[in-house]
Amino acid sequence: MGGSKGGIVVFGAGGRAGRAVTAEARGRGYEVTAVVRDPARYPDLAVAGVTVVRGDVTDRGSVAGVVGGRVAAVHAVTPFSGPEQGFDTLDPAFFVKAADALLGGLAATGVGRLVAIGLGANLLGADGRPVMDDPKAFPAEIRPFALAHTAGLERLREHRAGVVDWVMLTPAGHLEHGGARTGRYRVGGERLPDGDAWLSYADLAVAVVDEIEAPARHRTRVSVFNLRADAGPDHHADA
């Protein structure tokens, strides 16, 4: 790892996606500000090149207080504090509030790039309907979470002309915790890909940091995945 390329802020750094992005960013020479609700719960995040801070992704002032001077921010936050928290405590406006706070906080501090992690439930299935609308494919009890996530995406889409250049990367297929970093991924559109789609958290992180280093997609949502049949060194080929 060479010298620092600047700073990246990762909101939700204590989760699986946030941890993977933090590791990938550090491996490429970025300094990382890891934003979590309670830093005392994440002593293991405080390694060389990572500064752990308290923050609230739904509060514009809190966002502005940690992003200034950084090159980009990553939104990998879930509204749940742990697996014991049930969906009945979900704030349906959580992701809308987060979108507003991030866009406002980044704009106020001159940080122009936001990469958000999406939810595959609002991708379209083979029948052209969102996956979350198919009770056979998506559990009804999780639907409120999917609706909240979708509302956040729609809020971002309302800001296509804003000063913050955002992109949402949505894993399309099974997300593998502990899966290998292949360094490859495909980029698709609004539909689930044909075939056995999957993605490791490590490769999701590769896609996130790629979109920070060399932004290729702007103010849009795309799907990110690998296929079991893929082989060879192909890197982020469009599907």
Side-chain angles (χ1 to χ4, degrees):
M1 184 174 64
S4 175
K5 298 179 178 179
I8 292 174
V9 180
V10 179
F11 291 91
R16 291 177 177 178
R19 287 175 180 273
V21 172
T22 296
E24 180 69 23
R26 284 300 300 135
R28 298 203 207 178
Y30 290 94
E31 299 290 321
V32 176
T33 301
V35 185
V36 295
R37 294 181 184 89
D38 182 4
R41 293 182 57 193
Y42 304 99
D44 60 309
L45 288 178
V47 298
V50 178
T51 302
V52 184
V53 302
R54 185 187 308 273
D56 180 357
V57 74
T58 66
D59 182 88
R60 173 175 171 163
S62 180
V63 170
V66 297
V67 300
R70 277 61 170 189
V71 298
V74 177
H75 175 19
V77 181
T78 172
F80 302 114
S81 59
E84 71 283 353
Q85 185 175 347
F87 286 96
D88 57 340
T89 64
L90 172 69
D91 177 0
F94 176 86
F95 290 100
V96 171
K97 293 176 181 177
D100 287 342
L102 286 163
L103 293 171
L106 268 64
T109 54
V111 179
R113 187 60 165 167
L114 170 65
V115 182
I117 307 298
L119 185 71
N122 53 34
L123 292 173
L124 303 180
D127 60 0
R129 296 188 302 162
V131 173
M132 65 181 177
D133 288 350
D134 182 355
K136 295 181 180 179
F138 196 76
E141 62 269 21
I142 307 178
R143 182 175 168 81
F145 177 66
L147 289 171
H149 229 296
T150 303
L153 169 60
E154 292 307 315
R155 179 70 96 207
L156 289 174
R157 284 173 167 162
E158 292 172 7
H159 290 267
R160 283 200 169 102
V163 298
V164 177
D165 182 16
W166 63 268
V167 64
M168 180 176 283
L169 304 183
T170 300
H174 177 63
L175 256 178
E176 291 191 353
H177 178 53
R181 181 190 186 281
T182 70
R184 300 194 314 270
Y185 56 88
R186 292 172 177 259
V187 176
E190 292 291 322
R191 289 182 176 270
L192 287 175
D194 294 328
D196 187 1
W198 69 284
L199 194 69
S200 67
Y201 279 95
D203 283 337
L204 173 60
V206 172
V208 168
V209 181
D210 280 355
E211 280 293 338
I212 292 172
E213 286 198 327
R217 294 154 186 98
H218 309 279
R219 299 176 177 85
T220 190
R221 188 270 290 271
V222 297
S223 55
V224 184
F225 59 96
N226 277 316
L227 295 174
R228 295 291 179 188
D230 281 351
D234 292 345
H235 187 66
H236 59 100
D238 288 337

